[in-house]
Amino acid sequence: MTGNPLRAIAERALRHPFMRFCLVGGVATLIHAAVFFLVVGAGGSQLAGNVAGYGVASIWSYYLNCLWTFSASLSWAGFLRFQAANSVVLVWGVVAALIGQWLELPAPATLLLTVVVGPVLNYLGHSRLTFRKT
C-alpha cells in the first residue's frame, strides 16, 4: 500500500518558500483577526483592534518566516527591515479601519478590507526588502 497522496502533495508543496510564506501569513491573518475581535469585543475601537492585531501577528510572522520560510537568522536588523516592509500593511490597516468607521461598516467588513489588500502589499514588501537575496 502506498502513502497518503494528499500528504505527499502537501509535503512537496511545503518545500517551496512561497507556500510556506502563504501558510505563515494565513496563520498570522487568523491571529490578527482573533486579536481584532477580542479588542473590539472588549469595547475597543476598530483602529485599536487592527493595530493590536497587527502587532501580535507581525511578531509571529517575522519569527516563523525567518526560521522556517526563508531559513534566515533572527536579528534586530532583520526585524527592523521586516517592520519597515510591514509598515505599509500597518498603514493600510489604519486606513481600512478609518474607512470602516467613517462608512459605519460592521467590524467583519473592515477586517475583510484589511486582510484582502494587506497580504498582497506584505508579500511585495518582503520579497523586495526583507528577504531579498543580495
Side-chain angles (χ1 to χ4, degrees), residues 91-107:
V91 169
W92 170 247
V94 169
V95 169
L98 293 173
I99 291 169
Q101 288 177 334
W102 181 61
L103 295 175
E104 298 180 7
L105 296 174

Side-chain angles (χ1 to χ4, degrees), residues 13-123:
L14 290 176
R15 289 184 205 147
H16 299 283
F18 179 75
M19 295 304 295
R20 292 192 301 262
F21 184 85
C22 290
L23 183 59
V24 170
V27 173
T29 298
L30 293 174
I31 291 169
H32 182 143
V35 173
F36 175 86
F37 285 117
L38 284 171
V39 171
V40 171
S45 70
Q46 292 183 28
L47 176 59
N50 258 344
V51 171
Y54 160 82
V56 175
S58 174
I59 292 167
W60 155 271
S61 188
Y62 173 70
Y63 187 78
L64 265 289
N65 275 312
C66 271
L67 298 179
W68 187 52
T69 304
F70 297 102
S71 299
S73 298
L74 295 170
S75 69
W76 284 111
F79 184 72
L80 292 175
R81 282 192 311 274
F82 189 85
Q83 293 307 322
N86 270 356
S87 67
V88 173
V89 177
L90 176 59
V91 169
W92 170 247
V94 169
V95 169
L98 293 173
I99 291 169
Q101 288 177 334
W102 181 61
L103 295 175
E104 298 180 7
L105 296 174
T110 299
L111 183 63
L112 183 64
L113 187 60
T114 302
V115 300
V116 167
V117 176
V120 174
L121 296 173
N122 201 16
Y123 179 76

